[in-house]
Amino acid sequence: MIEFANVFDPAGNQQEAMVHMMTYKNFVSEEWSHVLTWDLLVGRWIWLDGLRRGIFTSHSVLLTNLIGPPGLLLHFVTCWISGKGVEGNKALDTDTVDKNAPIV
């Protein structure tokens, strides 16, 4: 646990601590699953949201691929600055429900 704390210690060498953590197979598998989740799923969602709503997303997708969660926050800020806001859940929006769709 102390080794993991060294990654976040601003007084220490964080890069060296991260390289040392990569010697543990369990850490590597956890880190890769985390990276792939953010890069593939969240990055794709940001890109598709930008395409659908006409919002510039290149910087947000890049930041998501580089350091993860801050890219999602940047996307929300970009939506807010562009005046498009952050959309709610479409499943809960009764205006987008097809009234003629069969009830399953």
Side-chain angles (χ1 to χ4, degrees), residues 15 34 56 61 64-66 68 70 76-77 81 84 89 93 101:
Q15 184 176 9
H34 172 78
F56 180 74
V61 171
T64 299
N65 286 327
L66 293 176
F76 291 148
V77 169
I81 289 173
K84 306 218 174 164
N89 188 348
D93 188 4

Side-chain angles (χ1 to χ4, degrees), residues 74-101:
L74 180 60
H75 178 64
F76 291 148
V77 169
T78 303
C79 292
W80 178 68
I81 289 173
S82 68
K84 306 218 174 164
V86 179
E87 284 192 337
N89 188 348
K90 288 252 182 210
L92 300 176
D93 188 4
T94 57
D95 295 335
T96 61
V97 175
D98 183 4
K99 306 281 194 254
N100 298 323

Side-chain angles (χ1 to χ4, degrees), residues 11-84:
N13 186 343
Q14 296 168 333
Q15 184 176 9
E16 184 179 313
M18 187 68 169
V19 169
H20 182 65
M21 289 296 293
M22 290 293 182
T23 62
Y24 298 105
K25 291 179 183 178
N26 290 340
F27 179 78
V28 171
S29 62
E30 181 278 326
E31 185 64 19
W32 271 109
S33 62
H34 172 78
V35 166
L36 290 176
T37 300
W38 277 101
D39 287 2
L40 297 177
L41 300 178
V42 176
R44 181 177 185 271
W45 179 84
I46 291 170
W47 178 65
L48 291 174
D49 184 54
L51 284 177
R52 186 172 50 82
R53 299 195 303 144
I55 299 169
F56 180 74
T57 59
S58 297
H59 61 295
S60 301
V61 171
L62 177 64
L63 194 60
T64 299
N65 286 327
L66 293 176
I67 58 175
L72 181 61
L73 293 175
L74 180 60
H75 178 64
F76 291 148
V77 169
T78 303
C79 292
W80 178 68
I81 289 173
S82 68
K84 306 218 174 164

